[in-house]
Amino acid sequence: MSEGVELQVTNLDPGIDQRDVRELVTALFTEYVTLSGVNIYRQEGGGLGAIVKVGNLQEAQLAISQLHKRKVGTKRISISHLPMDVVDLPRKEVVALLQSVPGGKIQLFKFRQMFEERFRGSISVADLHRMKEVVTLTEDLTGTGRMVQLNTNTVVGSEEVEMLHCEIHCPSSQAGWAERRVWEGLPDVKVEMDVLSLNIRKILISHGGSVPLASLVHCYNADFDPLDVEVADDGKHGVPLEHLLQAVKGIVVNTGATGIKKIVEATPENLGVKQSDLVGPPPALAGQLITFTREIVDMLKTIPGCKLAFYKFIPRYHHHFGKQCRVADYGYTKLKDLLESLPHVIQIIGEGAKTFITLAHKAQVRRFTNDLLKMLKNQPEKQFLLSSFSLVFEKTFFKPLSIYDYGVCHLTDILTDIPENTIFTEDVNEATKSDTMISVFRRDQTQEEVMRTRGFAKEVVELLRHSPDLSICFNKFIPAYHQHFGRQCRVGSYGMTKLIELFEAIPDTVEIREDGEERMVQLTKDKMIWVVGEQVECVVKTSRARCVALVELEEEYQKMFGHLMPLGRMGVGRVEEAVELLQSWVRVVNGKEGKMVVTVDRGFIRTMASNVRRLLVEQDEGHMDLGDFIEKMATRFGSHIEVEMLTRDLSYLVEVKGDKVFLTALQLCARDIEVVLGDLGKLPVAELESQYEAKFGREMPLEPLGFDSVSEMLIAMNDTLSVRGRGIRKIVSVNKSATPSLLSPSRPSSILLPPLGSQAKSSEVAAFSGRG
């Protein structure tokens, strides 16, 4: 039976016939796992026991979780792993201990006590009985009790016995063979991690690569400045030294066969990964274990220093969660084994009565990182100075900061362990002192990801325009997106890791607001006005007379879209005020039946836009005095234009500043590109940037205009330029074929928003195709 895992079944009902025990045990186990062997044996007291063999450790855990303490007959059976093999018994330690005793003979109870003190592990009477070739247990006839005696001519090999203390700084010759050697763990200390890490590595080198944990403080103080030891171990004045050792890179604390802990280098031989760490828990118990680990973290973080005495764990768990902690539910029979199976979350420190449970360093780093990100995201600019850390912490979590709760003595010690690409730190100088600015890390998006993000902004508008109040619950966005567009919303495609980061990347489109305990995703006021404007325009266009009475507008709107106009969200209280905000889509005119809402004449606006651009393009500086501009428009094109129209309907084309009217920066750049194209009127896109720089002696203003590539900018100039071809053969040319009705969009929303009732589509003006 060399492969698989063997389990011992005891406390079987003596009333069950021996012939029925095998069938009963087999039936119990095969309900949950596959057995490869069942052996029935009689115990020393006369009762029956069974040894069952299962396939692997996972199945053993599952069997224990389901069958341990199951009532069978009149007894509750007990399931445990088989005791250690005979070859693994601590023979050399037993021999070394008895050889130090005069005559090699001592009382049994005293021997077990000395063994535990000397080697940090327990040894049972049953284990001593299994070492008959080494020791003999006898009854002393003089009345001194049971004795343990070393057999003569005992040979157990030449391996050295692990020592509890360092022989250099704590030689064993200073103590008598029967003196108590009680060590209750390392103290709480205050020390910087950089200093501790450097000194521990030096100690390892001077001690030949191995230092017993029990004498670490003596060894450290002998070679370096004494450690700042805290007498009170309440978790409020220091951090356990044994926990700090877990954060030192390049070393590991190993526990020997008998329980002696020592510091060694973190080599592959010393790290020794267990099979259970590689395989993980059985799938049927994985969910329970994940929940259990979260519960432990929640419980420990409420305790000062996140440190709890081992013997208090069960009652504390019961008090905190109002339920029993049943170890067998997780596939174990001992609490210590259960906690040791969670090294990524739990660390057990100390020994004996001074054994404590605390959060592992990795768990503390994860917890600190989450808390820090929460603090950063509560700040308006997602950043704050390191010097104000305590203040921001208290405002965020409503309690004072105790850095010892995170298992370090100094804030900078844990900041250096935060995973990469989580936060960004920058040294800043303010007045006479230097400080560090901490901010949320943002990876620079690639050009393709930026383009996708802008497309996502249009999709968000398309999705939210169908909601009554132009908003949606944050938790319902992903399923709604999937149902509406028929595909998954993968935030990684936009260079983000979380959905909230993706929304934060489009602040001009959506904003997040708190509504009680829920977060809502809603359109910004500008986007909201554009959406409502298009909806109201649709209501007016579909009416029979192509106009709607102002008093009936809200009723007609409700008939078409099934809900009232979101006046409150637009910041107005009456329909008349809302229409004032929608001047780019509809106007109010006086009719025979009172005030009527009509749509804006698109053709007139397009013609005016074409004439305005033509006039300003001819000016060297791209601007004119407002008075001269209005006069020229009247004499040259026979059009009377008002300032209100320029600021309301042509804001994407011109800017009015004081008594002057200017072409926008984008239109000026488009004019310059037309000059570069020259008489031929076309040029390969790949050469455009270099030709532009050669012509004007300056770089093309991509970044100031908010573009990441030439191709992206040309798409925004589709009213005057067109791009055709694919890949490196793409050609940009002046859009001479565009009809006056297509020369210029009537308002910004026709560029930034998809058409009503459809998804965002590519421009119909710039026949843009190809790759790259």
Side-chain angles (χ1 to χ4, degrees):
M1 300 177 76
S2 58
E3 296 181 358
V5 178
E6 292 181 331
L7 297 174
Q8 186 176 30
V9 184
T10 55
N11 202 38
L12 291 167
D13 187 352
I16 302 175
D17 190 88
Q18 182 174 353
R19 291 171 295 183
D20 299 330
V21 169
R22 181 186 296 274
E23 295 180 7
L24 179 61
V25 171
T26 302
L28 281 172
F29 277 82
T30 51
E31 184 179 351
Y32 302 101
V33 296
T34 302
L35 292 181
S36 55
V38 178
N39 291 328
I40 306 300
Y41 68 96
R42 189 167 293 279
Q43 297 173 293
E44 291 184 1
L48 293 176
I51 296 177
V52 298
K53 184 178 179 183
V54 296
N56 51 49
L57 189 60
Q58 282 188 327
E59 292 192 352
Q61 284 182 253
L62 182 60
I64 291 173
S65 69
Q66 300 298 324
L67 299 175
H68 184 63
K69 298 301 180 182
R70 168 81 70 88
K71 191 171 184 179
V72 179
T74 60
K75 297 277 189 178
R76 293 188 179 275
I77 63 172
S78 178
I79 303 175
S80 60
H81 290 273
L82 274 181
M84 67 177 72
D85 294 335
V86 175
V87 294
D88 296 328
L89 293 172
R91 286 180 172 79
K92 59 180 182 295
E93 286 80 9
V94 170
V95 171
L97 184 57
L98 287 175
Q99 284 178 343
S100 66
V101 176
K105 186 176 181 180
I106 193 174
Q107 288 86 357
L108 176 60
F109 81 92
K110 194 170 184 178
F111 171 81
R112 294 184 64 191
Q113 179 181 325
M114 290 174 58
F115 187 94
E116 186 172 349
E117 292 172 1
R118 192 78 52 90
F119 301 110
R120 323 314 299 168
S122 61
I123 186 167
S124 65
V125 177
D127 290 337
L128 292 174
H129 275 299
R130 296 166 70 190
M131 292 188 285
K132 294 180 179 178
E133 75 282 4
V134 176
V135 296
T136 302
L137 272 69
T138 60
E139 294 287 345
D140 195 294
L141 299 179
T142 60
T144 56
R146 301 179 70 186
M147 306 291 289
V148 181
Q149 183 172 359
L150 180 67
N151 295 339
T152 57
N153 302 324
T154 299
V155 179
V156 294
S158 58
E159 296 181 15
E160 292 186 3
V161 176
E162 288 184 329
M163 302 304 296
L164 177 61
H165 295 90
C166 164
E167 287 297 304
I168 300 174
H169 300 100
C170 301
S172 58
S173 58
Q174 295 177 0
W177 63 268
E179 286 187 25
R180 290 178 59 83
R181 302 188 182 188
V182 178
W183 176 68
E184 296 180 337
L186 297 177
D188 287 5
V189 297
K190 287 183 182 177
V191 63
E192 294 182 5
M193 283 304 306
D194 291 343
V195 175
L196 180 66
S197 299
L198 180 63
N199 292 343
I200 290 296
R201 292 191 188 98
K202 289 180 179 179
I203 291 176
L204 271 179
I205 294 172
S206 64
H207 285 67
S210 176
V211 182
L213 205 61
S215 57
L216 177 63
V217 174
H218 298 285
C219 300
Y220 190 100
N221 293 342
D223 294 339
F224 310 106
D225 292 337
L227 286 166
D228 183 4
V229 176
E230 296 298 322
V231 178
D233 61 351
D234 53 5
K236 299 179 180 179
H237 302 88
V239 179
L241 178 57
E242 188 173 347
H243 174 76
L244 290 175
L245 292 174
Q246 197 179 50
V248 176
K249 295 178 176 61
I251 71 150
V252 64
V253 177
N254 268 358
T255 303
T258 59
I260 294 178
K261 295 180 180 180
K262 57 182 180 180
I263 304 172
V264 294
E265 294 181 15
T267 60
E269 296 79 13
N270 292 329
L271 289 173
V273 182
K274 298 178 182 178
Q275 183 183 359
S276 58
D277 296 336
L278 296 173
V279 177
L285 303 179
Q288 294 173 239
L289 277 170
I290 292 172
T291 302
F292 181 67
T293 56
R294 289 174 180 167
E295 290 175 341
I296 293 177
V297 174
D298 289 341
M299 182 178 72
L300 289 180
K301 71 183 184 182
T302 63
I303 303 171
C306 295
K307 186 175 69 170
L308 177 67
F310 186 86
Y311 71 90
K312 291 183 179 180
F313 181 86
I314 295 294
R316 179 81 184 203
Y317 182 95
H318 186 195
H319 179 266
H320 191 87
F321 296 105
K323 61 180 181 180
Q324 295 290 345
C325 177
R326 189 171 180 272
V327 176
D329 289 345
Y330 308 102
Y332 295 89
T333 56
K334 297 179 181 178
L335 177 61
K336 189 174 182 180
D337 293 339
L338 171 59
L339 297 178
E340 285 179 345
S341 71
L342 307 171
H344 59 291
V345 178
I346 297 299
Q347 182 186 14
I348 300 177
I349 58 177
E351 291 187 3
K354 290 287 187 178
T355 302
F356 289 91
I357 300 167
T358 187
L359 291 178
H361 181 66
K362 288 183 179 179
Q364 290 282 34
V365 171
R366 286 194 298 270
R367 176 171 161 252
F368 178 81
T369 302
N370 291 335
D371 289 349
L372 177 57
L373 289 175
K374 192 177 296 184
M375 293 164 59
L376 286 167
K377 290 178 180 179
N378 279 346
Q379 302 304 302
E381 297 181 0
K382 306 290 188 293
Q383 62 181 16
F384 60 82
L385 291 171
L386 181 61
S387 58
S388 62
F389 192 97
S390 299
L391 182 62
V392 176
F393 182 93
E394 190 166 351
K395 287 183 178 179
T396 305
F397 299 106
F398 307 104
K399 63 178 182 180
L401 171 67
S402 173
I403 196 60
Y404 305 126
D405 289 343
Y406 293 101
V408 291
C409 303
H410 302 276
L411 182 59
T412 52
D413 292 339
I414 198 165
L415 279 173
T416 57
D417 285 341
I418 291 179
E420 293 182 0
N421 302 337
T422 303
I423 63 168
F424 178 75
T425 57
E426 182 182 9
D427 293 332
V428 294
N429 294 317
E430 290 192 355
T432 57
K433 63 177 183 178
S434 60
D435 209 333
T436 301
M437 181 67 75
I438 306 173
S439 57
V440 176
F441 176 83
R442 293 190 182 279
R443 181 177 68 82
D444 292 336
Q445 290 178 293
T446 63
Q447 177 187 335
E448 185 178 359
E449 289 168 348
V450 170
M451 295 291 288
R452 287 177 185 163
T453 302
R454 291 180 180 174
F456 175 76
K458 296 179 181 180
E459 292 176 339
V460 172
V461 174
E462 163 63 17
L463 180 61
L464 295 187
R465 73 188 311 153
H466 300 292
S467 300
D469 55 354
L470 304 179
S471 64
I472 189 172
C473 179
F474 183 87
N475 295 331
K476 295 180 180 178
F477 180 85
I478 293 294
Y481 182 98
H482 187 195
Q483 293 164 12
H484 187 73
F485 296 106
R487 63 179 183 275
Q488 295 288 348
C489 177
R490 303 186 186 280
V491 295
S493 301
Y494 307 97
M496 309 292 177
T497 56
K498 295 182 179 180
L499 180 61
I500 188 68
E501 295 175 359
L502 184 53
F503 286 137
E504 289 171 353
I506 50 173
D508 57 334
T509 302
V510 295
E511 55 191 14
I512 308 297
R513 66 180 172 89
E514 300 289 338
D515 186 8
E517 295 183 356
E518 289 187 339
R519 287 184 296 177
M520 302 297 294
V521 182
Q522 66 180 28
L523 291 178
T524 58
K525 186 177 179 180
D526 288 342
K527 287 294 188 291
M528 198 179 300
I529 290 173
W530 288 338
V531 169
V532 175
E534 291 189 344
Q535 290 175 338
V536 171
E537 182 185 47
C538 183
V539 170
V540 176
K541 279 185 175 180
T542 54
S543 64
R544 288 185 179 181
R546 298 184 70 82
C547 64
V548 176
L550 182 61
V551 294
E552 298 176 358
L553 179 60
E554 191 166 17
E555 182 183 349
E556 293 296 324
Y557 182 95
Q558 186 177 11
K559 286 180 182 178
M560 176 170 284
F561 296 104
H563 57 83
L564 295 174
M565 292 175 62
L567 300 179
R569 301 291 303 283
M570 295 169 65
V572 296
R574 297 182 301 138
V575 175
E576 291 86 343
E577 296 173 356
V579 174
E580 287 295 322
L581 296 175
L582 310 178
Q583 291 292 315
S584 294
W585 294 269
V586 291
R587 306 279 168 83
V588 176
V589 297
N590 292 319
K592 296 179 180 179
E593 300 177 0
K595 293 183 178 181
M596 306 295 292
V597 180
V598 297
T599 58
V600 173
D601 185 355
R602 294 276 175 260
F604 172 72
I605 293 178
R606 292 192 189 100
T607 302
M608 292 294 286
S610 176
N611 294 337
V612 167
R613 186 181 188 280
R614 190 182 306 174
L615 181 59
L616 289 176
V617 161
E618 294 172 357
Q619 311 305 312
D620 292 339
E621 300 297 327
H623 64 80
M624 293 178 66
D625 289 334
L626 189 57
D628 293 342
F629 171 76
I630 294 174
E631 183 182 346
K632 286 276 189 183
M633 287 291 293
T635 56
R636 182 172 175 180
F637 301 108
S639 304
H640 175 69
I641 190 165
E642 298 177 353
V643 176
E644 183 183 2
M645 185 177 185
L646 293 175
T647 57
R648 183 185 60 208
D649 298 322
L650 304 179
S651 59
Y652 72 96
L653 183 66
V654 296
E655 296 174 318
V656 179
K657 299 179 181 178
D659 59 350
K660 290 183 179 294
V661 58
F662 298 80
L663 278 175
T664 61
L666 183 64
Q667 293 296 331
L668 286 172
C669 184
R671 184 189 68 169
D672 292 343
I673 292 176
E674 291 180 39
V675 174
V676 173
L677 296 179
D679 297 333
L680 188 60
K682 61 181 180 180
L683 194 70
V685 173
E687 299 179 13
L688 180 61
E689 197 167 2
S690 59
Q691 291 291 338
Y692 184 98
E693 189 171 349
K695 181 73 175 178
F696 298 105
R698 64 178 186 273
E699 293 183 352
M700 192 175 288
L702 295 176
E703 187 175 343
L705 293 175
F707 299 106
D708 295 307
S709 68
V710 175
S711 297
E712 185 182 350
M713 185 175 68
L714 292 176
I715 293 176
M717 297 176 177
N718 55 32
D719 54 336
T720 57
L721 302 171
S722 63
V723 180
R724 301 182 185 279
R726 295 187 176 184
I728 61 174
R729 297 182 180 179
K730 284 194 294 188
I731 302 294
V732 58
S733 60
V734 177
N735 194 6
K736 296 178 180 178
S737 61
T739 61
S741 64
L742 293 175
L743 275 173
S744 152
S746 60
R747 61 179 184 274
S749 62
S750 62
I751 295 176
L752 301 174
L753 288 177
L756 185 66
S758 66
Q759 295 183 27
K761 298 178 181 177
S762 60
S763 169
E764 297 176 359
V765 178
F768 191 97
S769 60
R771 303 170 184 166

